[in-house]
Amino acid sequence: MSTHQHSSLFRGETVTQALRQSFIKLSPARMIKNPVMFMVELGTAIMLLVTLLSGVTTHASLGSVGYNAVITLLLFLTVLFGNFAEAIAEARGKAQAETLRKTRRDTQAKRLNPDGSLTEVSAAELKKGDVFLAEAGDVIPADGEIIEGLASIDESAITGESAPVIREADTDRSSVIGGTLVLSDQINVQVTTQPGESFLDKMIALVEGANRQKTPNEIALTILLASFTMVFLIVTVTLQPFAASANTPITIASLLALFVCLIPTTIGGLLSAIGIAGMDRALRANLIAKSGKAVETAGDIDTLLLDKTGTITLGNRKATGFYPYNGLSEEAFVRSAVLSSLADATPEGKSIVELARTRNVTVEPDGLEGASFVKFSAETRMSGVDLPDGRQVRKGAWDAICRWSDNRADLPLLEAKVKEIAGNGGTPLALAVDKKALGVIQLEDIVKPGIQERFARLRKMGVKTVMVTGDNPLTAAYIARQAGVDDFIAEARPEDKLHYIRQEQQQGKLVAMMGDGTNDAPALAQADVGVAMNSGTQAAKEAANMVDLDSDPTKLLEVIEIGKQLLITRGNVTTFSIANDVAKYFAIVPALFAASIPGLNALNLMRLATPESAILSAVIFNAIIIPLLIPLALRGVSYRPVGAAALLTRNLLIYGLGGVIVPFVGIKAIDLLLGLVR
């Protein structure tokens, strides 16, 4: 975890900054964006005017100056507490931004010139496309991709993880972040961002973003709350003529108190804080979300696409066996396998060379002058080498080698070994020379311990899991059964992922996916929630709407839980806020009309002492419940993976029923305290 993740909920400096911002946010231009709290502020202004008038004139509708002053103060505190909830969430973000800013230094960069010479320049002078040299002890001056070399990198300044990571050119872990430290070796890095657009700059802008965009759900809820406010405004206004016909004088203070207590001020005051805290929790999980919508959408995900290697399995598949065909000697077969893997930077390719060494077979690269190496691609699903003597050596997926081969007569016999390896959960890698299949290399991977339980957890959330793999259907089916996923895409190409995502979306489902390569970019852009690994390519990071700084393939599971926690927290607080109105109704309405309509005393369930005490108790409770719920809004409601019906039942029992009971208890307690004060 990063150092900026350990800030306490209420630090002295943060609280001081939030209190200052609470007063600044009283500006009507800002308050009008929150219709509920804006109406409370307007009511406070009216009460202030009424208080001043009641001090100089006597009228039945004005009431006493002391009572009016107390109601004015309580309404003002209600607005202030609502502002404080939002301000404390923003202040925590700004504190994180300050910590991040300290990691950004004006470092010097060793820029590589076209003639191979080096020029020392400030990091701020580096432009997109420039290449710089970074050696052991250097701070990487800008975000980029390694184009030559490999190095051990300390990323703790950004991700907080103390363990160094290996970054290497021509792999799926070639990306480096500005502000990280090179521990060993040297690398040539091509800059991928313009000055001011680095990940560190984006993180600072994200956590500092007080003027964040509201999400669609948040906008919809704001409109609903505004509608509730208008309804209760009409109800309150029509009470005055009703009271006049019943010969019941009601003061302006009482009407405003009733209005403020009936509108959903609790969720109105906490709504923005809940949204900001959701983004904050994502950042604390080392996720950069490009918008609040991405975090929120994650909570509604129906389908989750996961890569097999490194996510479901331990990754880094290793060669464990060579199986030559048709009497070919093992040494000749292994030598061809090594030739096909010398330029293969993948873990699988390196493991073939390592396994060959244990069989005392090596190939000196010096003897391959003039050879043309063919890199693996998602389209061909093969790699290999074209030798100077004209021989073509290829290794790859069985179906790809079958298509490449000319001699198909022997393929059915070799296919038996392919099916045997795949049926046992291994990955068969076919080898061919001059378009003739020679045998099979066996790769093995292991399903991660505990992964079945994690998928069962997702299933309880109602999320369908889909494994994406380049393996053949037999191997994919075996691993899918072992891991407990709901579906799989075998021999997956970029267009296959894209097609599957679109197919799910056409059925009205929301889809999440994680990727790291350039070939993942189209699918990441199409997915409703696309999470790119920070170690991946720039194309993947630009296409996704989230970036995982830890480059942890299992982070998608955490993303979904963060999104669900945000949605559940907002829903629960909304339920609690609306349920609150029931108790406040039973506190204020009987107090207003009990004198002229004695029968309404039956509704005074709390047996409050006096009408004035009942109104004051309700307004005090209405004000203090907002700061009491701030920790819940910032931390979020604890989430457990259960079905929608169970979640709804829990919501109604705890926050619905609790939202009715707590105000009854709280208002009665405040009434008793007021009685003691009197």
Side-chain angles (χ1 to χ4, degrees), residues 640-661:
R640 290 182 298 172
V642 293
L647 275 176
L648 179 61
T649 303
R650 181 169 177 260
N651 179 19
L652 292 176
L653 283 176
I654 298 177
Y655 295 93
L657 187 60
V660 174
I661 294 172

Side-chain angles (χ1 to χ4, degrees), residues 180-235:
T180 55
L181 179 67
V182 180
L183 297 178
S184 67
D185 303 291
Q186 67 177 39
I187 47 178
N188 289 349
V189 181
Q190 185 170 47
V191 180
T192 54
T193 59
Q194 296 290 3
E197 296 178 2
S198 69
F199 269 105
L200 199 53
D201 291 311
K202 288 176 183 176
M203 287 177 73
I204 291 169
L206 173 72
V207 298
E208 266 193 328
N211 298 321
R212 68 183 187 92
Q213 296 294 314
K214 287 187 176 182
T215 63
N217 282 350
E218 203 172 340
I219 292 170
L221 184 55
T222 301
I223 293 170
L224 177 64
L225 297 180
S227 302
F228 274 137
T229 303
M230 290 304 298
V231 168
F232 285 121
L233 178 62
I234 294 169
V235 169

Side-chain angles (χ1 to χ4, degrees), residues 358-630:
T358 66
R359 309 288 174 91
N360 298 317
V361 177
T362 57
V363 175
E364 295 299 327
D366 296 342
L368 295 174
E369 291 182 10
S372 174
F373 292 102
V374 179
K375 291 185 178 181
F376 177 85
S377 73
E379 286 73 26
T380 64
R381 299 174 63 240
M382 293 190 303
S383 63
V385 60
D386 293 336
L387 298 170
D389 60 11
R391 282 184 299 157
Q392 293 179 304
V393 184
R394 297 288 185 274
K395 72 172 189 298
W398 170 245
D399 64 310
I401 293 295
C402 284
R403 287 193 298 271
W404 188 70
S405 297
D406 283 339
N407 186 0
R408 298 178 177 273
D410 296 333
L411 292 179
L413 297 174
L414 189 56
E415 189 174 7
K417 190 64 183 178
V418 169
K419 288 183 177 179
E420 179 189 334
I421 293 171
N424 293 325
T427 300
L429 205 61
L431 181 72
V433 175
D434 293 335
K435 298 192 175 185
K436 181 180 180 181
L438 300 183
V440 184
I441 305 164
Q442 178 175 314
L443 303 176
E444 287 189 3
D445 203 351
I446 301 170
V447 173
K448 285 184 176 180
I451 198 71
Q452 281 188 335
E453 289 75 12
R454 300 195 78 174
F455 288 141
R457 184 180 174 94
L458 283 167
R459 201 168 290 113
K460 285 182 180 178
M461 298 180 196
V463 178
K464 173 186 175 183
T465 51
V466 181
M467 181 182 77
V468 181
T469 176
D471 289 337
N472 65 72
L474 278 174
T475 304
Y478 179 87
I479 297 293
R481 286 194 303 272
Q482 292 290 102
V485 295
D486 301 310
D487 197 2
F488 64 87
I489 307 172
E491 299 175 347
R493 297 167 300 170
E495 54 267 33
D496 296 327
K497 301 175 192 176
L498 192 61
H499 175 70
Y500 194 97
I501 292 171
R502 285 174 175 166
Q503 199 173 38
E504 291 288 295
Q505 289 172 334
Q506 284 170 4
Q507 297 173 23
K509 296 178 181 178
L510 295 176
V511 184
M513 178 189 164
M514 175 172 270
D516 57 6
T518 300
N519 60 350
D520 289 325
L524 286 169
Q526 180 67 36
D528 299 285
V529 176
V531 183
M533 288 193 285
N534 187 48
S535 60
T537 63
Q538 190 66 22
K541 287 186 279 190
E542 288 176 357
N545 49 24
M546 281 189 184
V547 177
D548 173 25
L549 292 175
D550 294 332
S551 299
D552 177 5
T554 64
K555 188 65 72 69
L556 264 174
L557 310 180
E558 195 170 345
V559 170
I560 291 174
E561 292 196 348
I562 289 170
K564 285 192 178 293
Q565 188 181 35
L566 169 61
L567 294 173
I568 290 169
T569 302
R570 185 186 295 150
N572 288 351
V573 175
T574 301
T575 302
F576 184 87
S577 178
I578 294 172
N580 265 224
D581 294 342
V582 176
K584 288 178 278 190
Y585 173 86
F586 280 105
I588 296 179
V589 172
L592 291 177
F593 294 99
S596 57
I597 310 175
L600 284 178
N601 273 319
L603 296 178
N604 186 9
L605 303 180
M606 289 173 271
R607 295 293 180 258
L608 302 175
T610 65
E612 291 78 12
S613 175
I615 293 169
L616 278 176
S617 300
V619 177
I620 291 171
F621 177 84
N622 193 64
I624 65 173
I625 195 64
I626 295 175
L628 289 177
L629 287 175
I630 288 177

Side-chain angles (χ1 to χ4, degrees), residues 149-377:
L150 82 162
S152 175
I153 308 287
D154 177 5
E155 295 184 343
S156 59
I158 304 297
T159 68
E161 295 296 338
S162 56
V165 295
I166 302 297
R167 296 285 180 257
E168 185 176 359
D170 299 322
T171 69
D172 58 1
R173 304 184 72 82
S174 61
S175 180
V176 292
I177 316 170
T180 55
L181 179 67
V182 180
L183 297 178
S184 67
D185 303 291
Q186 67 177 39
I187 47 178
N188 289 349
V189 181
Q190 185 170 47
V191 180
T192 54
T193 59
Q194 296 290 3
E197 296 178 2
S198 69
F199 269 105
L200 199 53
D201 291 311
K202 288 176 183 176
M203 287 177 73
I204 291 169
L206 173 72
V207 298
E208 266 193 328
N211 298 321
R212 68 183 187 92
Q213 296 294 314
K214 287 187 176 182
T215 63
N217 282 350
E218 203 172 340
I219 292 170
L221 184 55
T222 301
I223 293 170
L224 177 64
L225 297 180
S227 302
F228 274 137
T229 303
M230 290 304 298
V231 168
F232 285 121
L233 178 62
I234 294 169
V235 169
T236 307
V237 169
T238 55
L239 270 182
Q240 183 59 44
F242 176 78
S245 66
N247 294 318
T248 304
I250 298 180
T251 63
I252 295 173
S254 298
L255 283 173
L256 282 171
L258 175 65
F259 171 65
V260 170
C261 287
L262 288 183
I263 64 176
T265 50
T266 307
I267 182 61
L270 295 172
L271 181 59
S272 185
I274 292 169
I276 295 170
M279 295 282 286
D280 179 65
R281 281 192 294 277
L283 186 64
R284 288 168 189 272
N286 275 345
L287 284 161
I288 295 181
K290 296 180 182 178
S291 70
K293 183 181 178 182
V295 179
E296 192 174 273
T297 303
D300 283 329
I301 286 301
D302 300 297
T303 305
L304 177 59
L305 269 66
L306 297 140
D307 274 332
K308 185 202 79 170
T309 306
T311 304
I312 294 171
T313 61
L314 292 175
N316 295 345
R317 292 177 301 184
K318 290 189 175 181
T320 56
F322 295 115
Y323 299 96
Y325 169 72
N326 205 14
L328 182 69
S329 70
E330 182 175 286
E331 182 180 351
F333 179 79
V334 173
R335 185 171 294 279
S336 295
V338 172
L339 284 170
S340 72
S341 304
L342 284 176
D344 188 349
T346 65
E348 292 89 344
K350 292 176 181 177
S351 75
I352 291 171
V353 177
E354 290 170 6
L355 182 62
R357 285 199 191 103
T358 66
R359 309 288 174 91
N360 298 317
V361 177
T362 57
V363 175
E364 295 299 327
D366 296 342
L368 295 174
E369 291 182 10
S372 174
F373 292 102
V374 179
K375 291 185 178 181
F376 177 85
S377 73

